[in-house]
Amino acid sequence: MMKRTLCRCCFSFSPSAFFCSSTSSIAGIASMPTDHLEIDIEHGFGDFQLSIAQSIPLDGITAIFGPSGSGKTTLLRLITGFLRPDRGRLAHGADVLCDTVSGAFVPAHRRSIGYMFQDGRLFPHLSVERNLLYADRRSGSTQTAFSKADIIDAFELSPLLPRLPISLSGGERQRVALARTLLSRPRLLLLDEPLSALDRGRRADILSLIGDLPGRFCMPVLYVSHDVGEVIQLASNTIILSAGRVKASGPTVPVLNEHGVAKGDSGIEPGVILTGTVTSHDEAYHLIRIAIGDGVISLPTANAMATGTDIRLRIEARNVAISRHKPEQISIRNILPAIFKGATVEDNQPLALIEMEIDGQCLRAQVTREALDELALTAGERVFALVKTASLEV
């Protein structure tokens, strides 16, 4: 097909042998060191082959993103030591964890890496308090700036302490599993799609807890997900995997805008990620106002967001309309002044992808080719982008 381009612009790592000692600290007491995870490995099974050469800065949250079958969980299992690679080397800072040339291999229980599975895998016969106590005692750490009490307070677990895991909701189980993983006091935390079994409301609560981990507990996180919304909200850096290879890596917003959400890669609806700043709250209508360039977006949310908070918004191209003139008395409230940059049209297809610029950021709209022709826009022309408030998520 020809393209016509008009312009471009857990068992939280927790059986008895799996807990080990490391030093952690709460933000404000000590800053989180920026180690690197150096990976140069190959591993195959069946028809699948994982081949990755990547340096991952362990600072904040790094997302490992991609569709099912891209190799995300396999990569985590190689990092933890659950799997030995067929070939290669893996180093965490100055510590060589695996080297197939020299024969070096540090077993999982000595890697000081916490791993939380999708289902948490709490000990079913132990109460919440005893699950936490087990991890706390097995960590063997005496040089840590946070205690079991600090973790219980941070995750609001006091009412849950006497209960057995079977009596907990899905969100409560994940909170306990995450807390228990932290009490193993690892140097690095791996989370393998920990929200996949939760509903939307419970997912939002756990996302907030995970987002606080690097700053509150000086804990770098590798976060595996195939949910672009989770990645946008949490990750400062993102690695996109596809068929066992690194497709792209770097800061989350430009990486996803270029390789993830831009044109609907990996089954994602085409669109963009815009960054704005919370300017005010409208309590009467339960909206927050977000400034993006010279425009303002109204966002419905129950979450408290302080004025001045930077926020990322995913805007799907199909939810954006274009006007040459600023419309009045219409239901769409978000009317953003923009500059038309160009459009991409595929032959024999009814839709076109329009690209605009707002304060140095790209915004895309998906319209019919008929609409594009009738608008007769020229590059550099001022237009207005219309976005339905109900279509927005944060």
Side-chain angles (χ1 to χ4, degrees):
M1 178 181 294
M2 296 295 293
K3 284 189 177 181
R4 179 159 54 93
T5 302
L6 305 182
C7 180
R8 64 179 177 85
C9 335
C10 70
F11 222 149
S12 22
F13 217 165
S14 61
S16 60
F18 282 1
F19 284 99
C20 49
S21 173
S22 68
T23 301
S24 303
S25 56
I26 293 179
I29 298 175
S31 60
M32 181 171 59
T34 306
D35 288 332
H36 282 72
L37 198 61
E38 303 292 342
I39 303 173
D40 184 4
I41 53 178
E42 293 180 356
H43 187 75
F45 47 88
D47 296 331
F48 180 79
Q49 184 71 26
L50 183 75
S51 180
I52 293 180
Q54 188 74 29
S55 177
I56 303 176
L58 300 180
D59 184 13
I61 297 177
T62 297
I64 302 173
F65 174 69
S68 297
S70 59
K72 304 185 300 295
T73 295
T74 299
L75 176 58
L76 288 198
R77 290 175 65 83
L78 288 163
I79 292 171
T80 59
F82 292 159
L83 289 176
R84 289 178 181 252
D86 297 333
R87 182 211 64 80
R89 186 177 187 274
L90 177 68
H92 183 184
D95 300 328
V96 176
L97 303 180
C98 177
D99 187 339
T100 55
V101 173
S102 67
F105 184 81
V106 177
H109 66 279
R110 293 181 53 204
R111 291 195 178 189
S112 193
I113 294 174
Y115 191 116
M116 180 176 159
F117 292 87
Q118 294 179 17
D119 59 4
R121 302 193 186 183
L122 298 172
F123 294 121
H125 62 292
L126 299 182
S127 67
V128 168
E129 183 170 26
R130 292 180 65 193
N131 264 281
L132 299 178
L133 183 61
Y134 181 85
D136 190 34
R137 287 176 174 173
R138 298 298 300 187
S139 74
S141 179
T142 59
Q143 298 179 346
T144 179
F146 67 85
S147 65
K148 180 164 69 74
D150 295 324
I151 295 293
I152 290 171
D153 180 64
F155 288 81
E156 299 180 353
L157 298 180
S158 292
L160 307 181
L161 292 179
R163 293 167 58 181
L164 290 173
I166 195 173
S167 71
L168 304 177
S169 69
E172 289 169 341
R173 281 194 298 271
Q174 293 304 77
R175 279 164 51 201
V176 174
L178 187 56
R180 189 182 66 172
T181 308
L182 285 175
L183 282 172
S184 71
R185 297 180 173 85
R187 291 171 55 197
L188 171 63
L189 180 61
L190 309 186
L191 303 180
D192 189 1
E193 303 201 52
L195 310 182
S196 61
L198 301 182
D199 61 33
R200 187 178 182 85
R202 290 167 177 164
R203 185 176 299 185
D205 293 337
I206 305 299
L207 273 174
S208 178
L209 289 173
I210 293 172
D212 288 342
L213 291 178
R216 189 165 190 174
F217 296 103
C218 299
M219 184 72 64
V221 178
L222 294 186
Y223 187 91
V224 160
S225 181
H226 64 270
D227 185 312
V228 69
E230 293 176 10
V231 173
I232 291 169
Q233 182 170 339
L234 289 176
S236 52
N237 291 285
T238 294
I239 297 169
I240 298 179
L241 290 187
S242 178
R245 305 292 190 275
V246 174
K247 180 179 180 180
S249 66
T252 293
V253 172
V255 163
L256 288 182
N257 273 336
E258 181 66 23
H259 299 279
V261 300
K263 297 181 180 179
D265 295 350
S266 304
I268 303 167
E269 284 285 343
V272 297
I273 303 165
L274 292 183
T275 301
T277 303
V278 176
T279 58
S280 63
H281 299 76
D282 189 328
E283 295 183 2
Y285 292 106
H286 306 287
L287 299 170
I288 59 173
R289 312 294 185 188
I290 301 166
I292 300 178
D294 295 329
V296 175
I297 278 185
S298 298
L299 180 70
T301 179
N303 297 329
M305 296 184 186
T307 300
T309 300
D310 289 332
I311 188 171
R312 297 171 180 169
L313 293 175
R314 179 187 172 199
I315 301 179
E316 295 179 348
R318 66 176 179 172
N319 292 319
V320 181
I322 305 296
S323 175
R324 299 190 68 166
H325 307 285
K326 186 175 182 178
E328 297 180 353
Q329 294 184 326
I330 63 172
S331 62
I332 296 178
R333 314 309 298 168
N334 301 313
I335 303 173
L336 306 175
I339 303 298
F340 174 73
K341 304 297 289 184
T344 299
V345 182
E346 293 187 353
D347 290 342
N348 303 316
Q349 295 295 316
L351 300 178
L353 193 64
I354 289 177
E355 184 170 305
M356 296 163 283
E357 182 180 313
I358 299 178
D359 193 36
Q361 300 187 74
C362 178
L363 179 64
R364 293 182 175 91
Q366 192 174 55
V367 302
T368 64
R369 293 173 62 183
E370 179 184 28
L372 178 63
D373 288 343
E374 289 185 2
L375 284 167
L377 299 170
T378 58
E381 183 175 350
R382 180 181 173 88
V383 295
F384 293 90
L386 286 63
V387 185
K388 283 188 174 182
T389 298
S391 71
L392 297 175
E393 294 184 3
V394 60

